Coordinates of all heavy atoms in Angstrom, one line a residue:
A727 N -33.7 1.3 27.8 CA -33.5 0.6 26.5 C -32.2 -0.2 26.5 O -31.2 0.2 27.1 CB -33.5 1.6 25.3
A728 N -32.3 -1.4 25.9 CA -31.1 -2.3 25.9 C -30.1 -1.7 24.9 O -30.4 -1.1 23.9 CB -31.5 -3.7 25.5
R729 N -28.8 -2.0 25.2 CA -27.7 -1.6 24.3 C -27.2 -2.8 23.6 O -27.3 -3.9 24.0 CB -26.6 -0.9 25.1 CG -27.1 0.4 25.7 CD -25.9 1.2 26.2 NE -26.3 2.6 26.2 CZ -25.5 3.6 26.3 NH1 -24.2 3.3 26.3 NH2 -25.9 4.8 26.3
G730 N -26.4 -2.5 22.5 CA -25.8 -3.6 21.7 C -26.7 -3.9 20.5 O -27.5 -3.2 20.1
G731 N -26.4 -5.1 20.0 CA -27.2 -5.5 18.8 C -26.7 -4.8 17.5 O -25.6 -4.2 17.5
A732 N -27.6 -4.8 16.6 CA -27.3 -4.3 15.2 C -28.0 -3.0 15.0 O -28.5 -2.7 13.9 CB -27.5 -5.3 14.2
G733 N -28.2 -2.2 16.0 CA -29.0 -1.0 15.9 C -28.2 0.1 15.1 O -27.2 -0.1 14.6
P734 N -28.8 1.3 15.1 CA -28.2 2.4 14.4 C -26.7 2.7 14.8 O -25.9 3.1 14.0 CB -29.1 3.6 14.7 CG -30.4 3.0 15.2 CD -30.0 1.7 15.8
A735 N -26.4 2.6 16.1 CA -25.1 2.9 16.6 C -24.0 2.0 16.0 O -22.9 2.4 15.6 CB -25.0 2.9 18.1
R736 N -24.4 0.7 15.9 CA -23.5 -0.3 15.3 C -23.3 0.0 13.8 O -22.2 -0.1 13.3 CB -24.0 -1.7 15.5 CG -23.1 -2.8 15.1 CD -23.4 -4.0 15.8 NE -22.6 -5.1 15.4 CZ -21.5 -5.5 16.1 NH1 -21.1 -4.9 17.2 NH2 -20.8 -6.5 15.7
R737 N -24.3 0.3 13.1 CA -24.2 0.6 11.6 C -23.3 1.9 11.5 O -22.5 1.9 10.6 CB -25.5 0.8 11.0 CG -26.3 -0.5 10.7 CD -27.5 -0.2 9.9 NE -28.5 0.6 10.5 CZ -29.5 0.1 11.3 NH1 -29.6 -1.2 11.4 NH2 -30.4 0.9 11.8
T738 N -23.4 2.9 12.3 CA -22.6 4.1 12.3 C -21.2 3.8 12.5 O -20.3 4.3 11.7 CB -23.1 5.1 13.3 OG1 -24.5 5.4 13.1 CG2 -22.3 6.4 13.2
S739 N -20.8 2.9 13.4 CA -19.4 2.6 13.7 C -18.8 1.9 12.5 O -17.6 2.1 12.1 CB -19.2 1.8 14.9 OG -19.8 0.5 14.8
R740 N -19.6 1.0 11.8 CA -19.1 0.4 10.6 C -18.8 1.4 9.5 O -17.8 1.3 8.8 CB -20.0 -0.7 10.1 CG -20.0 -1.9 10.9 CD -20.9 -3.0 10.2 NE -21.1 -4.1 11.1 CZ -22.2 -4.8 11.2 NH1 -23.2 -4.5 10.4 NH2 -22.3 -5.8 12.1
A741 N -19.7 2.3 9.3 CA -19.5 3.4 8.3 C -18.3 4.2 8.6 O -17.5 4.6 7.7 CB -20.8 4.2 8.2
A742 N -18.1 4.5 9.9 CA -16.9 5.3 10.3 C -15.7 4.6 10.0 O -14.7 5.2 9.5 CB -17.0 5.7 11.7
A743 N -15.6 3.3 10.2 CA -14.4 2.5 10.0 C -14.1 2.4 8.5 O -13.0 2.4 8.1 CB -14.6 1.1 10.5
A744 N -15.2 2.4 7.7 CA -15.0 2.3 6.2 C -14.4 3.6 5.7 O -13.7 3.6 4.7 CB -16.3 2.0 5.5
R745 N -14.6 4.7 6.3 CA -14.0 6.0 5.8 C -12.9 6.5 6.8 O -12.8 7.7 7.0 CB -15.0 7.0 5.6 CG -16.3 7.0 6.3 CD -17.1 8.3 6.1 NE -17.7 8.7 7.4 CZ -18.8 8.2 7.8 NH1 -19.6 7.4 7.2 NH2 -19.2 8.6 9.0
R746 N -12.1 5.6 7.3 CA -11.0 6.0 8.2 C -10.1 6.9 7.4 O -10.0 6.9 6.2 CB -10.3 4.7 8.6 CG -9.5 4.0 7.5 CD -8.5 3.0 8.0 NE -7.9 2.3 6.9 CZ -6.9 2.8 6.2 NH1 -6.4 4.0 6.5 NH2 -6.3 2.1 5.3
K747 N -9.3 7.6 8.2 CA -8.4 8.5 7.6 C -7.2 7.7 7.0 O -6.8 6.7 7.5 CB -7.8 9.5 8.6 CG -8.8 10.5 9.1 CD -8.1 11.5 10.0 CE -9.1 12.6 10.4 NZ -8.5 13.6 11.2
K748 N -6.7 8.2 5.9 CA -5.6 7.5 5.2 C -4.3 7.8 6.0 O -4.2 8.9 6.6 CB -5.4 8.0 3.8 CG -6.6 7.6 2.9 CD -6.4 8.1 1.5 CE -7.6 7.7 0.7 NZ -7.5 8.3 -0.7
T749 N -3.4 6.9 6.0 CA -2.1 7.1 6.6 C -1.3 8.0 5.7 O -1.5 8.2 4.5 CB -1.4 5.8 6.8 OG1 -1.0 5.3 5.5 CG2 -2.2 4.8 7.6
L750 N -0.2 8.6 6.3 CA 0.7 9.4 5.5 C 1.3 8.6 4.4 O 1.5 9.1 3.3 CB 1.8 10.1 6.4 CG 2.8 11.0 5.7 CD1 2.1 12.1 4.9 CD2 3.8 11.6 6.7
S751 N 1.6 7.4 4.7 CA 2.2 6.5 3.6 C 1.2 6.4 2.4 O 1.7 6.4 1.3 CB 2.4 5.1 4.2 OG 3.3 5.1 5.3
E752 N -0.1 6.2 2.7 CA -1.0 6.1 1.6 C -1.2 7.4 0.9 O -1.2 7.3 -0.4 CB -2.4 5.6 2.2 CG -2.4 4.2 2.7 CD -3.7 3.9 3.5 OE1 -4.0 4.5 4.5 OE2 -4.5 3.1 3.0
V753 N -1.1 8.5 1.6 CA -1.3 9.8 0.9 C 0.0 10.0 0.0 O -0.2 10.4 -1.2 CB -1.4 10.9 1.9 CG1 -1.3 12.3 1.3 CG2 -2.7 10.8 2.7
L754 N 1.1 9.7 0.5 CA 2.3 9.8 -0.4 C 2.3 8.9 -1.6 O 2.7 9.3 -2.7 CB 3.6 9.5 0.4 CG 4.0 10.5 1.5 CD1 5.1 10.0 2.4 CD2 4.3 11.9 0.9
C755 N 1.7 7.7 -1.4 CA 1.6 6.8 -2.6 C 0.5 7.2 -3.6 O 0.6 6.7 -4.7 CB 1.4 5.4 -2.0 SG 2.9 4.6 -1.4
E756 N -0.4 8.0 -3.2 CA -1.5 8.4 -4.1 C -0.9 9.1 -5.3 O -1.4 9.1 -6.4 CB -2.5 9.3 -3.4 CG -3.5 8.5 -2.6 CD -4.5 9.4 -1.9 OE1 -4.3 10.6 -1.8 OE2 -5.5 8.8 -1.4
R757 N 0.2 9.8 -5.1 CA 0.9 10.5 -6.2 C 1.3 9.5 -7.3 O 1.3 9.9 -8.5 CB 2.2 11.1 -5.6 CG 3.3 11.5 -6.6 CD 4.5 11.9 -5.9 NE 5.6 12.2 -6.8 CZ 6.8 12.3 -6.5 NH1 7.2 12.2 -5.3 NH2 7.7 12.6 -7.4
L758 N 1.4 8.3 -7.0 CA 1.8 7.3 -8.0 C 0.8 6.9 -9.0 O 1.0 6.4 -10.0 CB 2.3 6.0 -7.3 CG 3.5 6.2 -6.3 CD1 3.8 4.9 -5.6 CD2 4.7 6.7 -7.0
E759 N -0.5 7.3 -8.7 CA -1.6 7.0 -9.6 C -1.3 7.8 -10.9 O -1.5 7.4 -12.0 CB -2.9 7.4 -9.0 CG -3.4 6.5 -7.9 CD -3.8 5.1 -8.4 OE1 -4.3 5.0 -9.6 OE2 -3.5 4.2 -7.7
E760 N -0.9 9.1 -10.7 CA -0.6 10.0 -11.9 C 0.9 9.9 -12.3 O 1.2 10.3 -13.4 CB -1.0 11.4 -11.5 CG -2.5 11.6 -11.2 CD -3.3 11.3 -12.4 OE1 -3.0 11.6 -13.5 OE2 -4.4 10.7 -12.2
E761 N 1.7 9.5 -11.4 CA 3.2 9.6 -11.7 C 3.8 8.3 -11.2 O 4.6 8.2 -10.3 CB 3.8 10.8 -10.9 CG 5.1 11.2 -11.4 CD 5.6 12.4 -10.6 OE1 4.9 13.0 -9.9 OE2 6.8 12.6 -10.7
P762 N 3.5 7.1 -11.9 CA 4.1 5.9 -11.5 C 5.6 5.8 -11.6 O 6.2 5.0 -10.8 CB 3.5 4.8 -12.5 CG 3.0 5.6 -13.6 CD 2.7 7.0 -13.1
S763 N 6.2 6.6 -12.4 CA 7.7 6.6 -12.5 C 8.4 7.1 -11.2 O 9.6 7.0 -11.0 CB 8.1 7.5 -13.7 OG 7.7 8.8 -13.5
A764 N 7.6 7.7 -10.3 CA 8.1 8.2 -9.0 C 8.1 7.1 -7.9 O 8.4 7.4 -6.8 CB 7.3 9.4 -8.6
A765 N 7.9 5.9 -8.3 CA 7.8 4.8 -7.3 C 9.0 4.7 -6.4 O 8.9 4.6 -5.2 CB 7.4 3.5 -8.0
M766 N 10.2 4.7 -7.0 CA 11.4 4.5 -6.2 C 11.6 5.7 -5.3 O 12.1 5.6 -4.2 CB 12.6 4.2 -7.1 CG 12.4 2.8 -7.9 SD 11.8 1.4 -6.9 CE 13.3 1.1 -5.9
A767 N 11.3 6.9 -5.8 CA 11.5 8.1 -5.0 C 10.5 8.1 -3.8 O 10.9 8.4 -2.7 CB 11.2 9.4 -5.8
V768 N 9.3 7.7 -4.0 CA 8.3 7.6 -3.0 C 8.8 6.5 -2.0 O 8.7 6.7 -0.7 CB 6.9 7.3 -3.5 CG1 5.9 6.9 -2.4 CG2 6.4 8.5 -4.3
W769 N 9.2 5.4 -2.5 CA 9.7 4.3 -1.6 C 10.9 4.8 -0.7 O 10.9 4.5 0.5 CB 10.2 3.1 -2.4 CG 10.8 2.0 -1.6 CD1 12.1 1.5 -1.8 CD2 10.3 1.3 -0.5 NE1 12.4 0.6 -0.8 CE2 11.3 0.4 0.0 CE3 9.1 1.3 0.2 CZ2 11.1 -0.4 1.1 CZ3 8.9 0.5 1.3 CH2 9.9 -0.4 1.7
T770 N 11.8 5.5 -1.3 CA 12.9 6.1 -0.5 C 12.4 7.0 0.6 O 12.9 7.0 1.7 CB 13.9 6.8 -1.5 OG1 14.4 5.8 -2.4 CG2 15.0 7.4 -0.7
D771 N 11.4 7.8 0.2 CA 10.8 8.8 1.2 C 10.2 8.0 2.3 O 10.3 8.3 3.5 CB 9.8 9.6 0.5 CG 9.4 10.9 1.3 OD1 10.1 11.3 2.2 OD2 8.3 11.5 0.9
L772 N 9.4 6.9 2.0 CA 8.7 6.1 3.0 C 9.8 5.6 4.0 O 9.6 5.6 5.2 CB 7.9 5.0 2.4 CG 6.7 5.4 1.6 CD1 6.1 4.2 0.9 CD2 5.7 6.1 2.4
K773 N 10.9 5.0 3.5 CA 11.9 4.4 4.3 C 12.6 5.5 5.2 O 12.8 5.3 6.4 CB 13.0 3.7 3.5 CG 12.5 2.4 2.8 CD 13.6 1.7 2.2 CE 14.4 2.6 1.2 NZ 15.5 2.0 0.5
Q774 N 13.0 6.6 4.6 CA 13.7 7.7 5.3 C 12.8 8.2 6.5 O 13.3 8.5 7.5 CB 14.1 8.8 4.4 CG 15.3 8.4 3.5 CD 15.6 9.5 2.5 OE1 14.9 10.5 2.3 NE2 16.8 9.4 1.9
R775 N 11.5 8.3 6.2 CA 10.6 8.9 7.3 C 10.2 7.8 8.3 O 9.6 8.1 9.3 CB 9.4 9.4 6.6 CG 9.6 10.7 5.8 CD 8.2 11.1 5.2 NE 8.4 12.2 4.3 CZ 7.6 13.2 4.3 NH1 6.6 13.3 5.2 NH2 7.7 14.2 3.4
E776 N 10.6 6.5 8.0 CA 10.3 5.4 8.8 C 8.8 5.3 9.1 O 8.3 5.1 10.2 CB 11.0 5.4 10.1 CG 12.5 5.3 9.9 CD 13.3 5.4 11.2 OE1 12.7 5.5 12.3 OE2 14.6 5.3 11.1
L777 N 8.0 5.5 8.0 CA 6.6 5.5 8.1 C 6.1 4.0 8.2 O 6.7 3.1 7.6 CB 5.9 6.2 6.9 CG 6.2 7.7 6.8 CD1 5.7 8.2 5.5 CD2 5.6 8.4 8.0
P778 N 5.0 3.8 8.9 CA 4.4 2.5 8.9 C 3.9 2.1 7.5 O 3.3 2.9 6.8 CB 3.2 2.6 9.9 CG 3.0 4.0 10.1 CD 4.2 4.7 9.7
L779 N 4.1 0.8 7.2 CA 3.7 0.3 5.9 C 2.5 -0.6 6.0 O 2.6 -1.6 6.9 CB 4.9 -0.4 5.2 CG 6.1 0.4 5.0 CD1 7.3 -0.5 4.6 CD2 5.9 1.5 4.0
N780 N 1.4 -0.4 5.3 CA 0.3 -1.3 5.4 C 0.0 -1.9 4.0 O 0.7 -1.6 3.0 CB -0.9 -0.5 6.0 CG -1.4 0.6 5.1 OD1 -1.1 0.7 3.9 ND2 -2.0 1.6 5.7
E781 N -1.1 -2.7 4.0 CA -1.4 -3.4 2.7 C -1.7 -2.4 1.6 O -1.2 -2.6 0.5 CB -2.6 -4.3 2.9 CG -2.4 -5.5 3.9 CD -2.6 -5.1 5.4 OE1 -2.7 -3.9 5.7 OE2 -2.7 -6.1 6.2
A782 N -2.4 -1.4 1.9 CA -2.8 -0.4 0.8 C -1.6 0.3 0.3 O -1.5 0.5 -0.9 CB -3.8 0.6 1.4
T783 N -0.7 0.7 1.2 CA 0.6 1.3 0.7 C 1.4 0.5 -0.2 O 1.8 0.9 -1.3 CB 1.4 1.7 2.0 OG1 0.7 2.6 2.8 CG2 2.7 2.4 1.6
M784 N 1.6 -0.8 0.2 CA 2.4 -1.7 -0.6 C 1.7 -2.0 -2.0 O 2.3 -2.1 -3.0 CB 2.6 -3.0 0.1 CG 3.4 -2.8 1.4 SD 5.0 -1.9 1.2 CE 6.0 -3.1 0.3
D785 N 0.3 -2.1 -2.0 CA -0.4 -2.3 -3.2 C -0.2 -1.2 -4.2 O 0.1 -1.4 -5.4 CB -1.9 -2.5 -2.9 CG -2.6 -3.0 -4.1 OD1 -2.3 -4.2 -4.6 OD2 -3.5 -2.3 -4.6
L786 N -0.3 0.1 -3.7 CA -0.1 1.2 -4.5 C 1.3 1.3 -5.1 O 1.5 1.6 -6.2 CB -0.4 2.5 -3.7 CG -1.9 2.8 -3.4 CD1 -2.0 3.9 -2.4 CD2 -2.7 3.1 -4.7
L787 N 2.2 1.0 -4.2 CA 3.6 1.0 -4.6 C 3.9 -0.1 -5.7 O 4.6 0.2 -6.7 CB 4.5 0.7 -3.4 CG 6.0 1.1 -3.4 CD1 6.2 2.5 -3.9 CD2 6.6 0.9 -2.1
F788 N 3.4 -1.3 -5.5 CA 3.7 -2.3 -6.5 C 2.9 -2.1 -7.8 O 3.4 -2.4 -8.9 CB 3.4 -3.7 -6.0 CG 4.4 -4.2 -4.9 CD1 4.0 -4.7 -3.8 CD2 5.8 -4.0 -5.1 CE1 4.9 -5.2 -2.8 CE2 6.7 -4.4 -4.2 CZ 6.3 -5.0 -3.0
R789 N 1.8 -1.5 -7.7 CA 1.1 -1.1 -8.9 C 1.9 -0.1 -9.8 O 2.0 -0.3 -11.0 CB -0.3 -0.5 -8.6 CG -1.1 -0.2 -9.8 CD -2.5 0.3 -9.4 NE -3.3 0.6 -10.6 CZ -4.4 1.2 -10.6 NH1 -4.9 1.7 -9.5 NH2 -5.0 1.5 -11.8
A790 N 2.4 0.9 -9.1 CA 3.3 1.8 -9.8 C 4.5 1.2 -10.4 O 4.9 1.5 -11.5 CB 3.6 3.0 -8.8
C791 N 5.1 0.3 -9.6 CA 6.3 -0.4 -10.1 C 6.0 -1.2 -11.4 O 6.7 -1.1 -12.4 CB 6.8 -1.4 -9.1 SG 7.7 -0.7 -7.7
A792 N 4.8 -1.8 -11.4 CA 4.4 -2.6 -12.6 C 4.2 -1.6 -13.8 O 4.5 -2.0 -15.0 CB 3.1 -3.3 -12.3
R793 N 3.8 -0.4 -13.6 CA 3.5 0.5 -14.6 C 4.8 1.3 -15.1 O 4.8 1.9 -16.2 CB 2.5 1.5 -14.2 CG 1.1 0.9 -14.0 CD 0.1 1.8 -13.3 NE -0.1 3.1 -14.1 CZ -0.6 4.2 -13.5 NH1 -0.9 4.2 -12.3 NH2 -0.7 5.3 -14.3
S794 N 5.8 1.2 -14.3 CA 7.0 2.0 -14.7 C 8.3 1.1 -14.7 O 8.9 0.9 -15.7 CB 7.2 3.2 -13.8 OG 7.4 2.8 -12.5
G795 N 8.7 0.6 -13.6 CA 10.0 -0.1 -13.5 C 9.9 -1.6 -13.6 O 10.9 -2.3 -13.8
G796 N 8.6 -2.1 -13.6 CA 8.4 -3.5 -13.8 C 8.8 -4.4 -12.6 O 9.1 -3.9 -11.5
L797 N 9.0 -5.7 -12.9 CA 9.3 -6.6 -11.9 C 10.6 -6.3 -11.1 O 10.7 -6.4 -9.9 CB 9.3 -8.1 -12.5 CG 9.6 -9.2 -11.5 CD1 8.5 -9.2 -10.4 CD2 9.6 -10.5 -12.2
P798 N 11.7 -5.9 -11.8 CA 12.9 -5.6 -11.1 C 12.7 -4.6 -10.0 O 13.3 -4.7 -8.9 CB 13.9 -5.2 -12.2 CG 13.4 -5.8 -13.4 CD 11.9 -5.8 -13.3
A799 N 12.0 -3.5 -10.3 CA 11.7 -2.5 -9.3 C 10.9 -3.0 -8.1 O 11.2 -2.7 -7.0 CB 11.0 -1.3 -10.0
A800 N 9.9 -3.8 -8.4 CA 9.1 -4.4 -7.4 C 9.9 -5.3 -6.5 O 9.7 -5.3 -5.3 CB 7.9 -5.1 -8.0
E801 N 10.7 -6.1 -7.1 CA 11.6 -7.0 -6.3 C 12.5 -6.3 -5.4 O 12.8 -6.7 -4.3 CB 12.4 -7.9 -7.3 CG 11.5 -9.0 -7.9 CD 12.3 -9.8 -8.9 OE1 13.2 -9.3 -9.6 OE2 12.1 -11.0 -9.1
A802 N 13.1 -5.2 -5.9 CA 14.0 -4.3 -5.1 C 13.3 -3.8 -3.9 O 13.8 -3.8 -2.8 CB 14.6 -3.2 -6.0
V803 N 12.0 -3.3 -4.1 CA 11.3 -2.8 -3.0 C 11.0 -3.9 -2.0 O 11.2 -3.7 -0.8 CB 9.9 -2.2 -3.5 CG1 9.0 -1.9 -2.3 CG2 10.2 -0.9 -4.3
M804 N 10.6 -5.1 -2.5 CA 10.3 -6.2 -1.6 C 11.5 -6.6 -0.8 O 11.4 -6.9 0.4 CB 9.7 -7.3 -2.4 CG 9.0 -8.4 -1.5 SD 7.6 -7.7 -0.7 CE 7.4 -8.8 0.6
R805 N 12.6 -6.7 -1.4 CA 13.8 -7.1 -0.7 C 14.2 -6.1 0.4 O 14.5 -6.5 1.5 CB 15.0 -7.1 -1.6 CG 15.2 -8.5 -2.3 CD 16.6 -8.6 -3.0 NE 16.7 -7.8 -4.1 CZ 16.2 -8.0 -5.4 NH1 15.6 -9.1 -5.6 NH2 16.4 -7.2 -6.3
E806 N 14.0 -4.8 0.2 CA 14.3 -3.8 1.2 C 13.2 -3.7 2.2 O 13.5 -3.3 3.4 CB 14.4 -2.4 0.5 CG 15.6 -2.3 -0.4 CD 15.7 -1.0 -1.1 OE1 14.9 0.0 -0.8 OE2 16.5 -0.8 -2.1
A807 N 12.0 -4.1 1.9 CA 10.9 -4.0 2.9 C 10.8 -5.2 3.8 O 10.1 -5.0 4.8 CB 9.6 -3.9 2.1
V808 N 11.4 -6.3 3.6 CA 11.2 -7.5 4.4 C 11.3 -7.2 5.9 O 10.4 -7.6 6.6 CB 12.2 -8.6 3.9 CG1 12.2 -9.7 4.9 CG2 11.9 -9.1 2.5
G809 N 12.3 -6.6 6.4 CA 12.4 -6.3 7.8 C 11.5 -5.3 8.3 O 11.3 -5.1 9.5
L810 N 10.8 -4.5 7.4 CA 9.9 -3.4 7.9 C 8.5 -3.8 7.9 O 7.6 -3.0 8.4 CB 10.1 -2.3 6.9 CG 11.5 -1.8 6.6 CD1 11.5 -0.8 5.5 CD2 12.1 -1.2 7.9
L811 N 8.1 -5.0 7.4 CA 6.7 -5.4 7.3 C 6.4 -6.5 8.4 O 7.2 -7.3 8.7 CB 6.5 -6.0 6.0 CG 6.8 -5.2 4.7 CD1 6.6 -6.0 3.5 CD2 6.0 -3.9 4.7
T812 N 5.1 -6.4 8.9 CA 4.6 -7.4 9.8 C 4.4 -8.6 8.9 O 4.2 -8.5 7.7 CB 3.3 -7.0 10.4 OG1 2.3 -6.8 9.4 CG2 3.5 -5.7 11.2
P813 N 4.3 -9.8 9.5 CA 4.0 -11.0 8.6 C 2.7 -10.9 7.8 O 2.7 -11.3 6.6 CB 3.9 -12.1 9.7 CG 4.7 -11.7 10.8 CD 4.5 -10.2 10.9
S814 N 1.7 -10.3 8.3 CA 0.4 -10.2 7.5 C 0.6 -9.2 6.4 O 0.1 -9.4 5.3 CB -0.8 -9.9 8.4 OG -0.6 -8.6 9.0
V815 N 1.2 -8.1 6.7 CA 1.5 -7.1 5.6 C 2.4 -7.7 4.5 O 2.2 -7.5 3.3 CB 2.0 -5.8 6.2 CG1 2.4 -4.8 5.0 CG2 0.9 -5.1 7.0
R816 N 3.4 -8.4 5.0 CA 4.3 -9.1 4.0 C 3.6 -10.0 3.1 O 3.8 -10.0 1.9 CB 5.4 -9.8 4.8 CG 6.5 -10.4 3.8 CD 7.6 -11.0 4.6 NE 8.7 -11.4 3.7 CZ 8.8 -12.7 3.3 NH1 8.0 -13.6 3.7 NH2 9.8 -13.0 2.5
A817 N 2.7 -10.8 3.6 CA 1.9 -11.7 2.8 C 1.1 -11.0 1.8 O 1.0 -11.3 0.6 CB 1.1 -12.6 3.7
A818 N 0.4 -9.9 2.3 CA -0.4 -9.1 1.4 C 0.4 -8.4 0.3 O 0.0 -8.3 -0.9 CB -1.2 -8.1 2.2
A819 N 1.6 -8.0 0.7 CA 2.5 -7.3 -0.3 C 3.0 -8.3 -1.3 O 3.1 -8.0 -2.5 CB 3.7 -6.8 0.5
L820 N 3.2 -9.6 -1.0 CA 3.6 -10.6 -2.0 C 2.5 -10.8 -3.0 O 2.7 -10.9 -4.2 CB 4.0 -11.9 -1.3 CG 5.4 -11.9 -0.6 CD1 5.6 -13.1 0.2 CD2 6.5 -11.8 -1.6
V821 N 1.3 -10.8 -2.4 CA 0.1 -11.0 -3.3 C 0.0 -9.8 -4.3 O -0.2 -10.0 -5.5 CB -1.2 -11.2 -2.5 CG1 -2.4 -11.1 -3.4 CG2 -1.2 -12.5 -1.7
S822 N 0.2 -8.6 -3.8 CA 0.1 -7.4 -4.6 C 1.2 -7.4 -5.7 O 1.0 -7.1 -6.9 CB 0.3 -6.2 -3.8 OG -0.9 -6.0 -3.0
L823 N 2.4 -7.8 -5.3 CA 3.6 -7.9 -6.2 C 3.2 -8.8 -7.4 O 3.4 -8.5 -8.5 CB 4.8 -8.3 -5.5 CG 6.1 -8.3 -6.3 CD1 7.3 -8.0 -5.4 CD2 6.4 -9.6 -7.0
I824 N 2.7 -10.0 -7.0 CA 2.4 -11.0 -8.0 C 1.3 -10.5 -8.9 O 1.3 -10.6 -10.2 CB 2.1 -12.4 -7.4 CG1 3.3 -13.0 -6.7 CG2 1.5 -13.3 -8.4 CD1 3.0 -14.1 -5.8
K825 N 0.2 -9.9 -8.3 CA -0.9 -9.5 -9.0 C -0.5 -8.4 -10.1 O -0.9 -8.5 -11.2 CB -2.0 -8.9 -8.1 CG -3.2 -8.2 -8.8 CD -4.2 -7.7 -7.8 CE -3.7 -6.5 -7.1 NZ -4.7 -5.8 -6.3
W826 N 0.2 -7.4 -9.6 CA 0.5 -6.3 -10.5 C 1.6 -6.6 -11.5 O 1.6 -6.2 -12.7 CB 0.9 -5.0 -9.7 CG -0.3 -4.5 -9.0 CD1 -0.5 -4.4 -7.7 CD2 -1.5 -4.0 -9.6 NE1 -1.7 -3.9 -7.4 CE2 -2.3 -3.6 -8.5 CE3 -1.9 -3.8 -10.9 CZ2 -3.6 -3.0 -8.7 CZ3 -3.2 -3.2 -11.1 CH2 -4.0 -2.8 -10.0
C827 N 2.6 -7.4 -11.1 CA 3.7 -7.6 -12.0 C 3.4 -8.7 -13.0 O 4.0 -8.8 -14.1 CB 5.0 -8.0 -11.2 SG 5.6 -6.5 -10.4
K828 N 2.4 -9.5 -12.7 CA 1.8 -10.5 -13.7 C 1.2 -9.7 -14.9 O 1.4 -10.0 -16.0 CB 0.8 -11.4 -13.1 CG 0.2 -12.4 -14.0 CD -1.0 -13.1 -13.4 CE -2.1 -12.2 -13.3 NZ -3.4 -12.8 -13.1
E829 N 0.5 -8.6 -14.5 CA 0.0 -7.7 -15.6 C 1.0 -7.1 -16.4 O 0.9 -6.8 -17.6 CB -1.0 -6.7 -15.0 CG -2.2 -7.2 -14.4 CD -3.1 -6.2 -13.8 OE1 -2.8 -5.0 -13.9 OE2 -4.1 -6.5 -13.2
D830 N 2.2 -6.8 -15.8 CA 3.3 -6.2 -16.4 C 3.8 -7.0 -17.6 O 4.2 -6.4 -18.6 CB 4.5 -6.0 -15.4 CG 5.7 -5.3 -16.0 OD1 5.5 -4.3 -16.7 OD2 6.8 -5.7 -15.8
K831 N 3.7 -8.3 -17.5 CA 4.2 -9.2 -18.6 C 3.2 -9.3 -19.7 O 3.6 -9.8 -20.8 CB 4.5 -10.6 -18.0 CG 5.7 -10.6 -17.1 CD 6.0 -11.9 -16.6 CE 7.2 -11.9 -15.7 NZ 7.6 -13.3 -15.3
S832 N 2.0 -9.0 -19.6 CA 1.0 -9.2 -20.6 C 1.0 -8.1 -21.7 O 1.6 -7.1 -21.6 CB -0.4 -9.3 -20.1 OG -0.7 -8.2 -19.3

């Protein structure tokens, strides 16, 4: 039998990718859903542990900032994160900051 194509194996790999394991950074940021006021403490923890930062982590962090510390907190995180982010994650983080902090003003 021929391999490849869009058979069952290909569909399975897509499903597996969709339910990838969360990073430790994402797990730590999940706390912010219930406790947004802990955003700066979680940010400090992420930096001290030197954990990798991805788009989902930054989005959760900026959402919590918007719900507790507002734009000043989000700006402080972004200033400190600049050297820690890849260009693509930095771009996504800026979008998240704008998205969530825009809601903060309404």
